[in-house]
Amino acid sequence: MGSQNLANELLTVTDVHFSIGPKKILDGIRFSLPSGVLVGILGPNGSGKTTLLRLLCRYWRPQRGSLVYRGRDYRHYTLQELSQFLSYIPQNIPEGLPMSVEDFLLLGLDPTIRQRTLRTTDWERFEQLLGQFELGEIRHRRVGDLSAGEARRV
């Protein structure tokens, strides 16, 4: 891979291994993603999709291998720096979460939201996403008060 290619890589995962006890969850996975692509992670239950996301967000650390964001080892980023280009919302929202749908979704847009004021372009992007996923009418409801179907949409 030439230096020009490295400059365009958002993420490079090389020989990543992760196990919980004797169960191998990720066994030497490798891939790279260029900047500006939208990616979906597909696979059967238990295949390691959520584990991979947790590793990418530094919830867990791989037992072997490397994760490189924008040409820099992910361990060398502060969590605040990572939050500028990476966020993760778990598939199951905790019951009784005392947060509005709007606040919860804004965390996905920018996890440092409580530390600064959103720019007009951030709000425009957020409003567009609310419309796209038809969430405008529930934006002010508490996440913990949503029905199961509504929570899946969030």
Side-chain angles (χ1 to χ4, degrees):
M1 183 181 305
S3 61
Q4 188 169 356
N5 287 343
L6 262 181
N8 293 325
E9 293 297 322
L10 173 67
L11 171 66
T12 303
V13 174
T14 306
D15 196 33
V16 169
H17 294 257
F18 188 82
S19 300
I20 296 179
K23 181 174 173 44
K24 285 184 180 180
I25 298 172
L26 300 176
D27 190 16
I29 66 167
R30 64 177 50 238
F31 61 90
S32 62
L33 302 174
S35 294
V37 298
L38 179 63
V39 176
I41 302 172
L42 305 174
N45 292 344
S47 63
K49 301 177 300 292
T50 300
T51 298
L52 174 63
L53 292 174
R54 288 177 178 162
L55 290 171
L56 294 175
C57 293
R58 273 193 20 201
Y59 289 163
W60 294 336
R61 296 190 183 268
Q63 290 144 346
R64 197 167 85 213
S66 68
L67 302 165
V68 176
Y69 295 119
R70 299 182 175 168
R72 187 169 147 199
D73 187 296
Y74 88 123
R75 295 170 295 180
H76 298 146
Y77 283 96
T78 67
L79 291 178
Q80 186 166 4
E81 287 174 321
L82 278 177
S83 75
Q84 298 305 305
F85 57 92
L86 179 69
S87 63
Y88 168 72
I89 297 175
Q91 57 189 332
N92 296 316
I93 300 169
E95 285 188 39
L97 187 65
M99 178 182 278
S100 71
V101 168
E102 181 173 283
D103 288 342
F104 185 73
L105 293 173
L106 283 170
L107 288 174
L109 181 65
D110 183 351
T112 65
I113 200 71
R114 297 194 190 276
Q115 300 166 7
R116 66 176 186 85
T117 305
L118 281 175
R119 297 178 306 260
T120 301
T121 55
D122 294 329
W123 276 112
E124 289 169 355
R125 181 174 162 215
F126 180 71
E127 292 293 335
Q128 180 184 19
L129 291 171
L130 282 178
Q132 182 179 347
F133 293 100
E134 300 177 0
L135 297 171
E137 64 189 44
I138 63 171
R139 73 188 297 167
H140 298 294
R141 292 187 41 205
R142 285 174 20 136
V143 172
D145 294 340
L146 299 176
S147 70
E150 290 169 326
R152 275 192 295 277
R153 287 179 38 219
V154 170

